């Protein structure tokens, strides 16, 4: 159980019945953490059913689109051709990167079913991994940190896997947005035992600077403009309504916030350079 924000060292305030949040950076942390065995069982089933978020219909095509988008970002910032992808699940990214000449290693609880034979697989949670080489040019963790029980250790491991001057790319659910702070409901991203800890941009940048990594790119991530407008339009509406209610009747706002789940689900993409 985390009692203080790992980035701000501030005591947490009750977020909902499942966790607490930092009043300074708005990161969210679970009250109770699952065991190794519980996580192993959960992710064995998770990988069987995971379809990349959203509707099941069209999931395979959507996963390819996500992987191609990730690879464009990797190609833009990569300083070399060795890549380690943590928490790949069923993503086609490792195979796509391998087909483009990257030397790829995958870390996950369960070996992905369709992983190419030429890709090295390491069976371990991120928090338990030990360095398998002199470091990688590119370290990627797409939608992984929020699943870890000890996010600071997870980030330390990612940094440890990276070569100096190498690139670390991290994709996270967005927290600390206008909607998260004001909406009449808490974030739908917070869902133990799946999403255990949600780190805000302020928290992430602070932690990574402490680990000698410089932020070089950030974006609110979406596959296309229309999806972005819909997603953040919902967030804006929820935030405005919630803020008005909060100003009029704070007790009513807080009571209902604890019961409801917000519809806003923003996504953040971070790129860091290790010094």
């Amino acid at each position: 159980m985390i009692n203080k924000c790992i980035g701000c060292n501030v005591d947490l305030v009750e977020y909902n019945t499942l966790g607490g949040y930092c009043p300074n950076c708005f990161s969210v942390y679970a009250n109770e953490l699952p065991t190794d065995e519980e996580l192993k069982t959960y992710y064995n089933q998770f990988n069987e059913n995971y379809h990349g978020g959203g509707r099941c219909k069209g999931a395979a095509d959507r996963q390819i689109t996500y992987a191609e988008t990730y690879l464009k970002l990797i190609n833009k910032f990569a300083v070399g051709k060795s890549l380690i992808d943590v928490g790949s699940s069923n993503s086609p990214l490792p195979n796509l990167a391998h087909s483009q000449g990257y030397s790829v290693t995958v870390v996950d609880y369960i070996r992905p079913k369709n992983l190419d034979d030429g890709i090295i697989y390491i069976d371990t949670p991120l928090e338990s991994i030990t360095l398998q080489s002199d470091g990688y040019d590119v370290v990627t963790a797409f939608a992984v940190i929020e699943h870890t029980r000890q996010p600071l250790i997870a980030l330390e491991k990612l940094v440890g896997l990276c070569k100096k001057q190498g690139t670390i790319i991290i994709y996270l659910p967005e927290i600390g947005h206008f909607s998260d702070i004001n909406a009449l409901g808490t974030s739908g991203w917070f869902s133990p035992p799946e999403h255990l800890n949600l780190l805000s941009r302020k928290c992430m940048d602070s932690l990574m600077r402490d680990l000698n990594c410089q932020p070089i790119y950030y974006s609110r991530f979406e596959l296309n403009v229309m999806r972005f407008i819909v997603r953040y339009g919902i967030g804006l509406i929820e935030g405005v309504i919630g803020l008005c209610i909060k100003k009029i009747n704070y007790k009513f706002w807080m009571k209902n916030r604890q019961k409801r789940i917000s519809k806003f689900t923003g996504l953040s993409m971070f790129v860091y350079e290790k010094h």
Side-chain angles (χ1 to χ4, degrees):
M1 179 177 175
I2 298 174
N3 296 311
K4 291 180 179 288
C5 176
I6 61 174
C8 305
N9 198 35
V10 171
D11 289 339
L12 302 183
V13 177
E14 184 182 5
Y15 186 63
N16 58 25
T17 57
L18 298 177
Y21 80 98
C22 172
N24 184 43
C25 75
F26 301 100
S27 296
V28 180
Y29 303 90
N31 286 335
E32 296 184 13
L33 301 175
T35 65
D36 281 335
E37 193 57 38
E38 287 170 339
L39 285 177
K40 186 83 172 179
T41 300
Y42 179 81
Y43 284 108
N44 188 28
Q45 299 168 346
F46 179 89
N47 278 11
E48 287 292 326
N49 301 316
Y50 182 67
H51 52 75
R55 302 181 304 275
C56 292
K57 184 178 180 182
D61 291 339
R62 189 168 59 251
Q63 284 236 59
I64 291 172
T65 303
Y66 270 108
E68 290 173 342
T69 305
Y70 297 159
L71 191 54
K72 288 179 182 178
L73 193 67
I74 291 167
N75 287 334
K76 180 178 179 179
F77 290 102
V79 297
K81 283 292 189 177
S82 63
L83 182 153
I84 184 165
D85 185 47
V86 178
S88 305
S89 189
N90 298 328
S91 172
L93 173 65
N95 291 349
L96 285 176
H98 186 242
S99 71
Q100 288 198 13
Y102 284 90
S103 173
V104 180
T105 299
V106 163
V107 177
D108 210 335
Y109 276 96
I110 306 294
R111 181 183 175 89
K113 286 182 178 180
N114 299 317
L115 201 63
D116 287 350
D117 291 338
I119 294 174
I120 298 170
Y121 168 68
I122 301 173
D123 175 12
T124 184
L126 171 58
E127 297 105 310
S128 303
I129 194 172
T130 55
L131 191 62
Q132 302 293 315
S133 69
D134 294 329
Y136 298 85
D137 297 311
V138 187
V139 178
T140 57
F142 296 107
V144 172
I145 299 300
E146 65 271 22
H147 296 258
T148 61
R149 291 175 298 181
Q150 299 172 297
L152 178 55
I153 291 177
L155 292 175
E156 289 172 346
K157 294 291 187 178
L158 290 179
V159 174
L161 290 168
C162 189
K163 291 180 179 179
K164 284 189 176 181
Q165 311 307 317
T167 303
I168 302 169
I169 303 176
I170 300 172
Y171 169 83
L172 291 175
E174 185 178 3
I175 201 74
H177 179 269
F178 173 75
S179 177
D180 297 316
I181 298 168
N182 295 298
L184 203 65
T186 51
S187 175
W189 285 129
F190 186 54
S191 56
E194 183 178 346
H195 293 169
L196 300 170
N197 302 292
L198 305 178
L199 304 185
S200 68
R201 181 183 181 183
K202 182 177 181 179
C203 185
M204 279 289 298
D205 284 351
S206 174
L207 292 172
M208 292 299 281
R209 285 193 176 100
D210 288 344
L211 294 170
N212 208 28
C213 294
Q214 182 66 27
I216 58 174
Y217 175 83
Y218 171 83
S219 70
R220 285 173 167 156
F221 180 82
E222 192 49 88
L223 292 180
N224 58 59
V225 174
M226 184 54 65
R227 284 169 61 108
F228 182 92
I229 292 171
V230 170
R231 191 186 297 272
Y232 283 89
I234 290 171
L236 178 61
I237 292 168
E238 287 202 317
V240 169
I241 293 173
L243 179 60
C244 292
I245 293 173
K246 182 163 62 170
K247 287 182 176 295
I248 295 169
N249 190 330
Y250 182 84
K251 288 184 178 180
F252 176 83
W253 174 82
M254 178 59 75
K255 181 179 179 180
N256 282 274
R257 181 172 168 83
Q258 296 293 319
K259 296 177 180 179
R260 296 185 67 256
I261 299 297
S262 168
K263 299 296 183 184
F264 171 71
T265 51
L267 300 160
S268 295
M269 187 73 77
F270 301 83
V271 182
Y272 298 95
E273 180 183 304
K274 181 178 176 180
H275 291 170

